[in-house]
Amino acid sequence: MPQTTNQKQYIQKYVKTWENEIEFKGWLKPCIGDNTKARCAFCNIDILAHRKSLKTHSCTKKHIQNAKNDKECLQLHKIENFTTPHINDRRKIAELKIAAFIAEHCSINAIDDLGKIIKDLDATSHVLTNIKIHRTKCTGLIVNVISPCLFKEMLDDLGESYYSLIIDESTAIDNTKVLCTMIRFFSLTLKKIRTTFYKLIQLESGTAESITNLLINHLQNDGLNIKHLIGIGVDGTNSMVGKNDSVASRLKRIIPHLVVIKCVCHSLHLTAEKSCDVLPRNLDYLVKKSHTWFSHSTKRIIEYRKIYETINQNMPKKIAKLSGTRWLARIEAIKTIIDQWDELKLHFEMAKNSNRCSEGYVAEELYNMYKNDENKIYLIFLRDALKDITNINKLFQSNEIEPLKLFKDLNHLLYLILQKIVVPSQLEKVKHQDLTNYNFQDYLMFVDCVDYGYYFNEFSSKINPQNLKDIKERCKAFYIELVKQLQKRIPENLQILEKLSYFTSENAMNKSRNDIIDIVVSFKEICLDIESTVKEWNSLHRFEVNTNNSEDYWAKVNNETDAAGEKRFGHVSKLVLALLCLPFSNAEVERAFSIMNIIKDKLRNRLIIRTLDAILRVRFLLPNTCRDFQPSRQMLQKFVSETVYGGQIDNEALDALDYFDMIEKFTA
């Protein structure tokens, strides 16, 4: 007979009441789905929900034995006592931030002491007192958690956009050959062009085939479309840009639209160095010896400082150190020497008689050079002649410039130098884009008509007229060699690169704009539809944006949509954003090598490439600094033992020479 609602409520009420009685406590439970019965948790059976039936069951042998077994189980140790307790998110965040700080600022060995100091800062803080992080764990967090997550965020930011690579080889402190690669792309989140670290690849061979295969394999493994590689920035070595078999030639077979750009900064340094070969050789000796004379002796510095302060009542400027690979760096030393010419001459005059035999000989040589005004006029000429080249070199190294105008400025530099030595009426006949192939030597001006600079002409009155003619001849030869070197070393594709200036925000909003059909045809693989691209370009002047920055302008053009939500200028914006990614120098990869040499130095010479790669990635990809670093949800999810301690962990306690151990080794 079906039960009424009152009967069900009555049974449930008394089952709950009986659960609290001592003889029913711990085993009597409601039977789900049948309110007429109760369930025994010990025996795992259902019983009629009458008090008499429940008492009868509690006295059975089976129930008594099951109850006894349950009490014994309760006395056993819980499994939680034998496992590592779960780390909460607050502690994970704290340890990830500490690891990010270590990666950005110091050696991983420092974490042993730093971790203990942080742990003892506040005994009442639950998070600080539970922090446990040492060298192995810190390395694991950097290599297996932070670095992979930042790398994935960068790849997501890149998406399916076009990108460029900047690559260069180097040798680490332990003679390991590495290829450093930087990537340049339009960031979907930042809405601007981003140049950052991609990978540090260990090389087994420096051949073009080996480098190309490694590069392609890494791109494919990371899910990057090789066809979306639009440009590659390299130095001028034969293995990188040789015509027959090089990294550039091999990549161009796979990617026909690839733009190969030799580092303009390297080219400008080599141009200046080769051009100076026509000038007297003693000039280089003068500059080098003037620096080394003071660099190894505090006594000489003090003596010269006293002379300079007596004459000028202020401190002398230090002569800059010269660079073997960056020739233009010596222009700062030349400026200092010219400004302090008389004071230096007086110092070496006093030093040639007061020093020992070898030192006195060097001082006498330098004094004789400073006494000769011909040396000074050559340095004055060099200072003024290399000024424009140095300024262009700084532009190509800077990140805060208008990239679309850079190659136009480079062509303008060539024109400025030609203007000093070529007959003006002949130079006017040459088109700006034809300067790289212009046979200028047929139209050179006479020696006395060449522009040597204002300060050169002002100082020339102190030089013997007969000697001055020879000086002018050699200075003219310097200009000729400078132009020849520029024509030889300027990128072969300068005509295409110079046309990038068409896409500046000023030109794009101008009604009388340039024709871009040549550029569109050259990069038809990017824009796909030539007709639509040109049509969008011709109607772009109607879209006005209040900005002078080309990156901001084209980011806004790319986001402009019509009523249907389709991009109004999708084809032309895709083309220009891809072209904006072209590299214009190797300055970024050189900065990466500088950081690499700071991280892996003589004291950490056994740091493996995998750890070095992870530390570099953290330093480059970390948003802002470690102070503003907030671990992502993905980092917290990967913060598990299997991930942190998985793979190859580089323990600096074993792989790097500790500073104090090294001191003991050498003092023993």
Side-chain angles (χ1 to χ4, degrees), residues 158 161-166 183-186 193 219 225-233 251-252 255-261 493 496-497 500 519 522-527 574-583:
L158 171 60
S161 303
Y162 282 82
Y163 60 94
S164 293
L165 294 178
I166 308 171
I183 190 167
R184 182 175 169 84
F185 61 95
F186 179 73
I193 300 298
L219 291 174
N225 190 344
I226 189 70
K227 297 294 183 181
H228 284 187
L229 178 62
I230 185 175
I232 181 169
L251 287 174
K252 281 187 75 69
I255 316 162
H257 63 267
L258 183 71
V259 179
V260 180
I261 302 177
N493 41 18
I496 290 292
L497 297 173
L500 296 181
I519 301 177
S522 300
F523 298 99
K524 58 185 178 182
E525 293 85 357
I526 298 176
C527 50
K574 181 181 179 182
L575 171 64
V576 178
L577 289 176
L579 294 177
L580 279 169
C581 297
L582 289 174

Side-chain angles (χ1 to χ4, degrees), residues 118-131:
I118 293 173
K119 188 181 179 73
D120 297 338
L121 285 178
D122 186 1
T124 62
S125 172
H126 179 72
V127 175
L128 295 182
T129 52
N130 286 317
I131 282 179

